[in-house]
Amino acid sequence: MEKIYSQFAIDGLPVSCAPYGSGHINQTYLLVTSRPRLYILQGLNTHVFKNMDGLMGNVIAVTEHLRKKSSDPRAALRLVPTVDGKPYLHTKDDKYYRMYDFVLDSLCLDKAETPDDLYQSGVAFGAFQNQLADFPAETLTETIPHFHDTPDRYRLFREAIAENEAGRLKDVQAEVDAFLSYEKEAGTLVNMGLPLRVTHNDTKLNNVMLDAATRTPLCVIDLDTVMPGLAANDFGDTIRFGAATAAEDEKDLSKVEMSLELYRAYASGFLKACGDRLTEQEIDTLPWGAKLMTLECGVRFLTDYLNGDVYFHVKYEGQNLDRCRTQLKFVRDMETKWDEMNRIIAELKA
Ligand code: ADP
Ligand code: GN1
Ligand code: MG
C-alpha cells in the first residue's frame, strides 16, 4: 500500500497501514503516522461502482453540504487530498483510492450494546435525511441504478438461477424456492408513489459513528449510495441489521430474531430526528421497509452465492448462503410480529 498512501497529503511519516473494519464492499485500511495522525484509506470497488467520478462527486457535494450544518469537525467526513491537490486518486491501472480523516474518539458498532445505541443511530439517520432535505437531489449521480428496486433484484436473481454460474443451484433449491415465494410482495413500496428523498440507502449500524464518550451521533459514513430513495428503506435497512439478535452470517438460525425492543428504539430515534418531514403515508410504510430491505438483501446474498461470490466480500465459502438464510429467518420472524411492528409505529406517530 506504500505506493498508494504516499500519494496522499498525510501529516507525518507512515508508521502502519492495516486492513480495518467490517464493510462488505470497499478495501478499507487504517493508516497511522508518526504525528500521530489516523487516516482511513479506501480502495474503491470498481466492480460494484461503475461511475467513480460521479460517486466521488456525490461524496464531495454531500460532505460539503453537511459541513455547513454543524460546527463540529466530526459531523462530516473530511477527504484528505492527494499530494497534487486532487480529492481522490485515480491510478494508471484504473484503480481508485480515497483517504478520510479518521473520525476520532468515536465508536462504530457491528451490534448495538443497548437499545439506546440503536435509538441514537436512528437519530443519526433521521438527522441525515433532514439535513439533506434542502440538497439539490437532481445533481446526484445514481451510483448504482435500481439499487433498492426490489422487483429488479428479483429479475437479477432469476438470471442467476438460469445461469447457475457457480454450479451451486442444486444445493440451494429450498432457499431459492423460499425467496421466490415472496416475489409477489417485492413491488409493494416501489409501486406506491411514495416521495423520493435524498437517502443514504445503506443504513447499517456500522455506517454510523457515535461519540465514544456520550454514545450520541457524530456522523454518518459510507456515502457511496447516497441517492434519491425511499425513507422506508433507510429505516428498514437498519432494522434488518441493527435490530437482529444475531450476526448477519449466524449459522444457528434459532438465534436469529427481530427484537421488538430494538425496533421500537430505532423507530423512535428515527421518527424524532426526521421531525415533520415524513408524510403520514411514509410513516405507515416503515414496517414494509424493514420487511422488504431484509427480503431484498437476502435475495442479493443468494444471487451472489449463485454467481460465485463476485459482489460481497466473503471470508469463507458459503458465507453468502449463511447470510441469505438469516435474512429469510428474519423475514419470517417479522411476519409473526407484523401487527406489533405496525402498532409501535402508529403509537410513535401519535
Ligand atoms: P464499506 O462500503 O466497505 O462498508 P465503509 O466506508 O463503510 O466501507 O468503511 C468500512 C469501515 O471502516 C466502517 O464500517 C468503519 O468501521 C470504518 N471507517 C470508515 N470511514 C471511517 C472514518 N472516517 N473514521 C473512522 N472509521 C471509519
Ligand atoms: C453492503 O458496504 P456495506 O458493508 O456497508 C451493501 C449493502 C448491503 C450490505 C449487507 C454498496 O454494505 O447494500 O445491505 O452490504 N452495500 C452496497 O450487509 O452494495
Ligand atoms: Mg459500510
Side-chain angles (χ1 to χ4, degrees):
M1 292 310 288
E2 192 184 337
K3 256 170 77 184
I4 304 299
Y5 59 65
S6 59
Q7 296 188 62
F8 285 89
I10 55 175
D11 184 13
L13 297 171
V15 172
S16 64
C17 182
Y20 188 80
S22 46
H24 295 346
I25 302 296
N26 295 310
Q27 298 286 353
T28 301
Y29 301 85
L30 172 65
L31 174 72
V32 182
T33 76
S34 56
R35 280 308 250 183
R37 286 284 301 267
L38 271 60
Y39 298 101
I40 287 287
L41 172 64
Q42 289 185 315
L44 301 179
N45 189 323
T46 47
H47 174 74
V48 166
F49 301 110
K50 305 296 182 199
N51 177 356
M52 228 33 116
D53 297 317
L55 180 151
M56 286 307 296
N58 286 0
V59 170
I60 293 165
V62 167
T63 51
E64 275 172 8
H65 185 91
L66 295 175
R67 199 162 301 117
K68 288 187 212 131
K69 306 262 168 177
S70 167
S71 54
D72 184 343
R74 293 181 300 166
L77 285 170
R78 195 190 76 88
L79 283 163
V80 178
T82 64
V83 282
D84 43 12
K86 304 227 168 68
Y88 54 98
L89 179 67
H90 182 191
T91 63
K92 287 201 181 73
D93 56 351
D94 209 23
K95 296 204 165 80
Y96 287 82
Y97 296 88
R98 71 179 165 214
M99 193 179 275
Y100 289 121
D101 278 340
F102 190 92
V103 180
L104 291 172
D105 305 317
S106 64
L107 288 173
C108 178
L109 303 172
D110 281 316
K111 194 174 183 328
E113 280 163 27
T114 65
D116 193 57
D117 288 340
L118 217 57
Y119 171 85
Q120 298 297 346
S121 96
V123 171
F125 283 116
F128 182 81
Q129 217 170 93
N130 227 327
Q131 288 164 347
L132 290 174
D134 58 346
F135 184 91
E138 68 285 356
T139 62
L140 283 172
T141 296
E142 204 180 353
T143 54
I144 303 181
H146 300 285
F147 190 57
H148 285 322
D149 178 344
T150 314
D152 197 62
R153 295 293 182 176
Y154 266 96
R155 183 184 63 77
L156 297 172
F157 179 41
R158 285 189 176 276
E159 264 179 36
I161 296 167
E163 283 164 22
N164 190 18
E165 182 71 34
R168 292 169 166 175
L169 181 61
K170 58 182 182 327
D171 309 323
V172 295
Q173 200 57 56
E175 286 79 5
V176 166
D177 291 343
F179 278 108
L180 287 177
S181 76
Y182 285 101
E183 188 171 10
K184 53 189 178 301
E185 298 184 22
T188 308
L189 283 180
V190 293
N191 295 330
M192 249 183 203
L194 292 161
L196 279 183
R197 315 253 175 219
V198 176
T199 47
H200 184 278
N201 296 306
D202 188 1
T203 53
K204 263 161 90 164
L205 198 57
N206 61 18
N207 288 333
V208 175
M209 308 302 286
L210 300 180
D211 186 307
T214 62
R215 290 183 102 93
T216 56
L218 287 171
C219 64
V220 160
I221 61 168
D222 202 346
L223 304 174
D224 301 334
T225 51
V226 176
M227 289 180 279
L230 304 181
N233 290 343
D234 268 11
F235 172 80
D237 204 28
T238 309
I239 298 303
R240 176 191 78 73
F241 187 90
T245 52
E248 198 181 53
D249 58 358
E250 173 61 54
K251 284 178 189 290
D252 179 355
L253 294 180
S254 69
K255 291 186 182 157
V256 181
E257 276 183 41
M258 191 205 62
S259 153
L260 280 167
E261 188 187 15
L262 294 176
Y263 174 88
R264 175 190 284 277
Y266 186 74
S268 63
F270 186 77
L271 283 174
K272 183 166 180 229
C274 281
D276 54 9
R277 292 235 184 253
L278 302 185
T279 64
E280 285 239 346
Q281 191 196 20
E282 277 177 297
I283 297 175
D284 294 342
T285 59
L286 296 181
W288 270 106
K291 186 171 183 189
L292 290 185
M293 279 300 92
T294 311
L295 185 63
E296 179 188 286
C297 204
V299 165
R300 293 172 64 199
F301 287 142
L302 187 51
T303 302
D304 198 33
Y305 183 71
L306 291 169
N307 288 341
D309 308 319
V310 291
Y311 186 97
F312 296 105
H313 293 327
V314 287
K315 292 201 183 88
Y316 59 89
E317 195 178 307
Q319 192 174 16
N320 273 320
L321 181 58
D322 289 340
R323 289 169 176 158
C324 95
R325 288 175 172 154
T326 63
Q327 305 306 288
L328 192 59
K329 169 75 195 286
F330 203 79
V331 168
R332 288 174 170 158
D333 191 52
M334 273 191 266
E335 289 181 317
T336 69
K337 294 172 176 161
W338 193 242
D339 291 346
E340 188 60 11
M341 286 167 70
N342 280 288
R343 212 185 55 71
I344 289 171
I345 297 298
E347 190 190 301
L348 293 171
K349 187 169 77 168

